Amino acid sequence: MTESAEHGHDSLSVVIPFYNEVGNAGELIAELHEALTPLTMPWEIVAVNDGSRDDTAAELAASRRRFGDHVCVINFARNFGQTAAMQTGIDYARGSLIVTMDGDRQNDPHDIPRLIDYLLENDLDMVSGWRKDRQDAAIRRKLPSRIANRLIRRTTGVDVRDNGCSLKIFRAHIIKQVVLMGEMHRFTSAWVASVTDPQRIGEMAVNHRARTVGDSKYGISRTTRVILDLVVVLFYMRFSRRPGHFFGSFGLALGAVGGAMLGYLLMVKLIMGVDVGGRPMLFAGVLFALAGVQLVTTGVLAEILTRNAPAKGYAVRSASAMHERRWKAGDSE
Ligand code: UDP
Ligand code: MG
């Protein structure tokens, strides 16, 4: 074993969002125990119940009683969405390594030790799972994600085939620098690439299983939202620290065209003494000049906004007492 693969001072937090996953939650936590027992590093599970209306909360509480305080349960005050749940779990996680996965048992806990080894042996900051043999119905789910993955690869240099796979591992100090909001959990590799070298983001083929209990929480409308999120990601990767350049360059170009039109009309009026009041160019010139001013000032506003930290997008109702949390293995606390 190489030195870096010896798990010297590493510890692991497994972050899982659950929304109406009764029948899956307890099973998954039991399965995680079976899969993670061989680990030599200390580990914990951070289960985030995203405002479930079924008995997920009770099932998670029972798992905590059964397995111990290293199973941390956070109950949201209402449903805030998968991204907010993942972000919360990441905020609460204490491990030096953080694994995220779905709570519906589609991801396989037995992949986790391999993900850890792959990350440490290759000295990476993030490894994304690749559902090589994806068990989801229909081309309508696979084709849009293929296009999105390719666009992300082009603009960010991140060589990840399957951004939609929730099973991922991160170094905690890297992922904790990123703020995930909205439904941006699908674009974590791009966000991580904004705080580390894209070369330090790898991928590994992982197992993917069909959902056996419960339903997918997303419908066909996901495709539109993925496209809109992609636009934001692509914009952000290039202009997050200088949005004024993005809006300003359009603004200056429009303003210049509008200014030239108005200048020309002014000359016509003054030199030739011709009336320009009804010329279409007058309207176009005024419109362009105004739009230009608007875009430049929008750019200034965007610059001001980027200097304000974003608010957190969730509220916690209860969390299992943090000071009582224990690691599963080799803990001295
Ligand atoms: N999820 C969540 N909040 C939501 C929607 C989903 O915590 O508002 C969880 C869900 O319980 C599951 C994971 O996110 O653990 C992935 O959801 P789902 O299986 O519905 O997505 P798909 O596999 O269809 O992409
Ligand atoms: Mg699923």
Side-chain angles (χ1 to χ4, degrees), residues 21 102 104 106 136 141 208 211 215-217:
E21 297 290 2
D102 280 347
D104 59 0
Q106 289 200 260
D136 280 316
R141 291 197 58 172
H208 193 240
R211 215 186 224 281
D215 300 311
S216 171
K217 308 301 183 286

Side-chain angles (χ1 to χ4, degrees), residues 151-157 190-191 193-195 229-247 249-250 302-303 306:
L151 275 171
I152 291 174
R153 204 181 319 174
R154 281 259 186 87
T155 41
T156 62
W191 294 106
S194 70
V195 295
D229 281 348
L230 186 62
V231 172
V232 174
V233 168
L234 300 184
F235 168 84
Y236 206 86
M237 291 311 134
R238 289 191 61 178
F239 296 106
S240 62
R241 281 172 208 86
R242 49 189 187 99
H245 288 181
F246 176 80
F247 294 105
S249 52
F250 283 114
E303 292 276 349
T306 55

Side-chain angles (χ1 to χ4, degrees), residues 264-279:
Y264 167 77
L265 289 178
L266 189 66
M267 303 263 282
V268 170
K269 169 86 184 166
L270 290 183
I271 296 168
M272 305 191 201
V274 180
D275 192 14
V276 296
R279 300 270 303 258

Side-chain angles (χ1 to χ4, degrees), residues 113-133:
R114 291 174 47 235
L115 278 170
I116 295 172
D117 288 343
Y118 191 82
L119 180 110
L120 295 178
E121 274 162 19
N122 296 291
D123 192 25
L124 299 173
D125 284 331
M126 168 180 173
V127 180
S128 183
W130 166 33
R131 294 166 296 179
K132 200 172 177 180
D133 184 18

Side-chain angles (χ1 to χ4, degrees), residues 172-194:
H173 71 275
I174 295 291
I175 191 62
K176 282 180 190 254
Q177 293 177 53
V178 169
V179 179
L180 298 174
M181 291 187 292
E183 293 188 6
M184 287 296 181
H185 65 272
R186 301 192 188 94
F187 297 98
T188 31
S189 69
W191 294 106
V192 167
S194 70

